[in-house]
Amino acid sequence: MKLRFTKMQGAGNDFVVIDATREPLRLDATQIRHLGDRRFGVGCDQILVIEASDEPGVDFRYRIFNNTGDEVEHCGNGARCFVRYVSEKGLSDKRSVKVRTVNRLLELHLRDDGRVSVNMGAPVFDFPSLPFDPTGLGVRREGGGELWTLPLADGDACEVAVLSMGNPHAVQRVADADHAPVAQRGPQVESHAAFPRRVNAGFLQVIDRGHVKLRVFERDAGETLTCGTGACAAVVAGIRLGWLDEAVEVQTRGGQLRIEWAGLSQGPDAPVWMTGPAQTVFEGEISL
Ligand SMILES: N[C@H](CCC[C@H](N)C(=O)O)C(=O)O
């Protein structure tokens, strides 16, 4: 099968984007892995599939696959690329579109300054839906949030804030993100027994109440240059724990995102807003 694709990136998190609006597309895990393979395929962190929507008021469906072949619930950087794609390809003439993922409705907005803003929906803190099993874990409160102690290998341990942006995140504070033990601790947190569906592991350095540095060891993908949902999760955690104000500039290895959450002034169901870049890199065709 020959498949046309568009390679895109949002702050260095890169994607293979497939347009399945005209005819349904069913790719198996082997085909997804081939698309994502940086040696034998196109290469990307995630594969994004754009589908038509028959839901009133919803413009498109949005499916996300990690490059391991697993379908996942959300991808923030991918959402920005999604609306850039549908606009550039003429699939919509709107500056704002609504898209449905497996578990949430997102609003994507093309801005006049060339960036994209996304209403990422509200964070989720209830553990069964994350899912997170805190059985046997130590916990302490800080500000209006809690930090769970995860025992790791070799007597190591770390404290994490746990929440979902549709996909699960465990965020730990570090003094120096550039020198944080991401390669060692990332996989241990990602596959910790407390997370039955595994987790995205964030490493957050607080510079001041409006500026942070963040690295994320993503579930399945390993460390990516930026993680959009990870930036949302880290800022929400920092606001709840009393470390951050409600608008934060997030510096990542791939670029800068702005995250806003009025969860303290408006309550925890307030939506998280993410603003950042989205670019097309190249078009291509691959034989699967
Ligand atoms: N690895 C993530 C999916 C992609 C998230 C990230 N690329 C983003 O921009 O949000 C997961 O398994 O939940």
Side-chain angles (χ1 to χ4, degrees):
M1 166 175 74
K2 287 208 178 294
L3 186 66
R4 292 207 53 76
F5 67 85
T6 298
K7 184 76 189 307
M8 302 187 78
Q9 62 86 13
N13 191 192
D14 65 341
F15 310 105
V16 167
V17 181
I18 309 290
D19 177 357
T21 56
R22 296 172 181 81
E23 54 189 78
L25 178 68
R26 289 288 169 267
L27 296 173
D28 62 30
T30 302
Q31 292 171 314
I32 294 282
R33 282 195 294 271
H34 183 54
L35 280 171
D37 191 304
R38 295 187 187 282
R39 296 288 185 279
F40 296 100
V42 181
C44 62
D45 293 325
Q46 280 86 32
I47 292 88
L48 313 180
V49 179
I50 302 173
E51 296 182 338
S53 166
D54 54 9
E55 184 181 356
V58 175
D59 298 292
F60 300 97
R61 290 182 55 79
Y62 169 30
R63 297 179 70 186
I64 304 108
F65 300 84
N66 282 329
N67 59 18
T68 52
D70 297 328
E71 183 162 9
V72 291
E73 309 91 341
H74 200 337
C75 178
N77 291 316
R80 298 198 312 276
C81 290
F82 189 111
V83 70
R84 174 79 68 216
Y85 180 94
V86 300
S87 173
E88 287 181 348
K89 294 291 186 182
L91 294 178
S92 174
D93 57 4
K94 296 180 181 176
R95 301 279 295 165
S96 297
V97 296
K98 287 188 178 176
V99 304
R100 172 75 66 189
T101 69
V102 289
N103 61 9
R104 47 185 59 199
L105 182 64
L106 309 176
E107 293 171 40
L108 321 177
H109 304 270
L110 289 169
R111 296 163 54 98
D112 294 339
D113 67 7
R115 294 183 298 169
V116 179
S117 286
V118 180
N119 176 338
M120 297 282 283
V124 171
F125 303 103
D126 80 276
F127 294 153
S129 64
L130 249 135
F132 170 53
D133 176 7
T135 306
L137 299 184
V139 60
R140 68 180 177 85
R141 289 197 63 79
E142 185 162 330
E146 59 273 328
L147 287 164
W148 296 87
T149 300
L150 291 185
L152 302 175
D154 307 326
D156 191 7
C158 62
E159 284 191 317
V160 293
V162 179
L163 67 155
S164 171
M165 284 305 302
N167 59 345
H169 290 269
V171 183
Q172 59 189 281
R173 186 168 181 175
V174 295
D176 178 349
D178 290 334
H179 299 93
V182 175
Q184 297 75 23
R185 276 193 183 168
Q188 292 184 58
V189 174
E190 179 205 19
S191 303
H192 197 282
F195 301 100
R197 285 177 50 84
R198 293 175 299 121
V199 74
N200 297 284
F203 296 80
L204 172 68
Q205 175 186 347
V206 177
I207 296 165
D208 61 39
R209 295 186 63 84
H211 298 82
V212 301
K213 262 191 184 181
L214 179 70
R215 293 171 66 188
V216 180
F217 189 95
E218 285 197 30
R219 180 175 56 173
D220 287 336
E223 183 173 7
T224 56
L225 293 182
T226 304
C227 178
T229 51
C232 295
V235 168
V236 167
I239 293 169
R240 285 184 98 221
L241 289 159
W243 306 336
L244 300 174
D245 291 336
E246 293 187 335
V248 177
E249 295 295 329
V250 180
Q251 186 59 52
T252 75
R253 294 191 152 184
Q256 187 152 328
L257 301 180
R258 180 176 176 78
I259 308 295
E260 297 167 271
W261 182 58
L264 297 186
S265 52
Q266 295 177 13
D269 292 338
V272 183
W273 283 89
M274 171 187 64
T275 299
Q279 269 96 28
T280 295
V281 182
F282 63 86
E283 310 272 353
E285 184 175 85
I286 185 171
S287 297
L288 289 180

